[in-house]
Amino acid sequence: MCLSLLLASFLTIVQLNCENLFDCRHDTLKQDTEFLPEAPRHWTPNRYWRKLDSIGRAILSCGEDSSDCVIPDLVALCEVENDSVLRDLTKRSLLRNARYGYIMTDSPDERGIDVALLYHEFSFAPIKHSSIRILPIKGMDATRDILYVAGRIITDDTLHIFVVHAPSRRGGERATRHHRMAVASRLCHAIDSIRNISPSAKIIVAGDFNAYPGERSLAAIAAHGMADATATARGKNGAKGTYRYKGRWGNLDHIMLSGPLLDLLEWCRVNDSKFLIEEEEIYGGVKPKRTYNGYRYRRNGVSDHLPLVVRLRLPGQGQLAPPSPGK
């Protein structure tokens, strides 16, 4: 795996649902007993550390291209359990030399899964961050907070970044649609608040929306000036989306850009590196190489979602000083 210096003229953004990146310890306030050594999944420390390295390898491979090899600047993660997991991922896995900092939420999700943003300390300096709580509506369980992070990049511009993991489709798309609409509504309110202060704000929204292109929750976000840069993203090795269900590919994961950033879009793709996919025996083609098929552990599995990658070209070059202590 090549780890070169960052290219100052580009900004690389990655989004990945990690598929149940839990540690092996029980949190008495969360329903995480499924991922313990004595549970039916036998989630042991060895499996946990292998998963961390697999996720780290997936992130690093997102910076590989035919013309260059870079460390992704920003990585939006879904389905990560807690601060201990993020510390292990950034300091003790294959990412330990990549110089990533991280910010994450502490949501009321019953299973204890959250969202996080990894940032490379030489290309992004956080200024402020907050968790946006989603108030459950009727019939809706407590869900993940939206993570908001504002920070400065090498051009001295400020980026406003939202990381989202919307409620699942379990029970059917129509029956759960209003849950995702509640998240979209809260997100749109936050976007509008930024634009009221800075009409030309550079905004990124990334995450697992549990919605395919054209569905109502995504249309609502688009109506607030956010363009889905990855709606038609494809891979190089057969992936036609980030997720495959019963033989059909689709994008449940999305990276959206405001107008000023959309003008800087160089390219976008699904990262379907060969170690992230496997042959689909029933329907043909390939599928993401997930960690578990049911309760059957896959030693070399990574996630049931593939990463999204967006490359932006930046006007001019510069060097960003590391964040000051306490910022």
Side-chain angles (χ1 to χ4, degrees):
M1 187 74 65
C2 175
L3 297 179
S4 70
L5 294 175
L6 290 164
L7 296 181
S9 57
F10 293 99
L11 189 77
T12 304
I13 306 158
V14 171
Q15 185 278 329
L16 173 62
N17 182 318
C18 297
E19 188 200 9
N20 296 318
L21 185 51
F22 283 84
D23 62 22
C24 304
R25 297 181 296 275
H26 178 43
D27 182 343
T28 57
L29 300 178
K30 301 295 183 180
Q31 297 178 11
D32 63 352
T33 55
E34 184 179 4
F35 287 90
L36 296 175
E38 63 272 17
R41 290 189 185 275
H42 303 292
W43 189 239
T44 62
N46 181 63
R47 293 181 177 185
Y48 167 65
W49 287 104
R50 182 177 291 275
K51 172 88 170 183
L52 285 173
D53 278 342
S54 295
I55 294 297
R57 185 184 178 193
I59 291 170
L60 293 175
S61 70
C62 291
E64 297 176 346
D65 194 46
S66 58
S67 58
D68 55 62
C69 182
V70 301
I71 298 171
D73 301 287
L74 298 167
V75 184
L77 298 177
C78 299
E79 291 198 17
V80 289
E81 185 183 16
N82 53 37
D83 184 80
S84 295
V85 169
L86 265 294
R87 186 170 61 250
D88 287 342
L89 178 65
T90 56
K91 306 303 181 185
R92 303 177 68 186
S93 78
L94 289 178
L95 294 181
R96 60 187 174 273
N97 294 321
R99 306 296 294 269
Y100 278 123
Y102 67 87
I103 299 169
M104 72 178 304
T105 56
D106 184 13
S107 303
D109 179 84
E110 293 179 351
R111 297 177 64 227
I113 57 175
D114 278 288
V115 300
L117 179 73
L118 307 188
Y119 59 91
H120 196 282
E121 62 184 41
F122 291 150
S123 57
F124 183 82
I127 299 170
K128 61 181 178 179
H129 63 88
S130 62
S131 292
I132 301 173
R133 187 60 47 90
I134 309 299
L135 297 178
I137 60 178
K138 183 177 180 181
M140 176 182 173
D141 294 331
T143 191
R144 281 75 59 174
D145 291 350
I146 299 171
L147 176 62
Y148 166 66
V149 183
R152 186 166 53 88
I153 58 174
I154 58 175
T155 58
D156 275 338
D157 289 309
T158 297
L159 288 186
H160 301 269
I161 305 167
F162 295 93
V163 184
V164 179
H165 186 187
S168 77
R169 304 165 73 90
R170 188 174 297 112
E173 189 281 325
R174 183 181 295 273
T176 57
R177 182 183 300 165
H178 59 299
H179 301 167
R180 291 180 292 282
M181 287 298 297
V183 173
S185 176
R186 188 68 183 88
L187 172 64
C188 290
H189 177 78
I191 291 172
D192 290 345
S193 296
I194 293 171
R195 284 217 179 92
N196 286 338
I197 299 172
S198 178
S200 59
K202 296 177 172 63
I203 303 172
I204 300 171
V205 177
D208 177 355
F209 290 80
N210 274 300
Y212 295 108
E215 292 187 4
R216 284 182 59 188
S217 59
L218 297 180
I221 300 168
H224 286 254
M226 299 301 300
D228 191 346
T230 55
T232 59
R234 299 291 184 265
K236 298 178 179 179
N237 296 306
K240 300 177 182 178
T242 60
Y243 186 76
R244 197 173 189 194
Y245 179 69
K246 293 185 177 180
R248 292 188 176 183
W249 282 103
N251 283 333
L252 293 175
D253 309 276
H254 306 270
I255 298 176
M256 305 177 189
L257 306 174
S258 62
L261 289 179
L262 190 65
D263 292 339
L264 304 178
L265 181 62
E266 185 79 5
W267 50 255
C268 63
R269 64 179 173 88
V270 174
N271 177 11
D272 60 348
S273 297
K274 291 187 178 180
F275 75 95
L276 294 172
I277 57 176
E278 62 184 348
E279 294 298 319
E280 169 61 87
E281 297 179 357
I282 298 176
Y283 300 102
V286 297
K287 64 180 180 180
K289 187 184 293 183
R290 60 189 306 164
T291 306
Y292 282 92
N293 280 340
Y295 281 88
R296 183 166 64 90
Y297 173 68
R298 308 295 304 284
R299 178 180 175 84
N300 294 317
V302 183
S303 175
D304 57 347
H305 290 241
L306 294 173
L308 279 173
V309 191
V310 161
R311 180 76 63 87
L312 303 180
R313 61 184 182 277
L314 300 180
Q317 297 185 14
Q319 185 174 358
L320 176 67
S324 301
K327 293 292 185 181

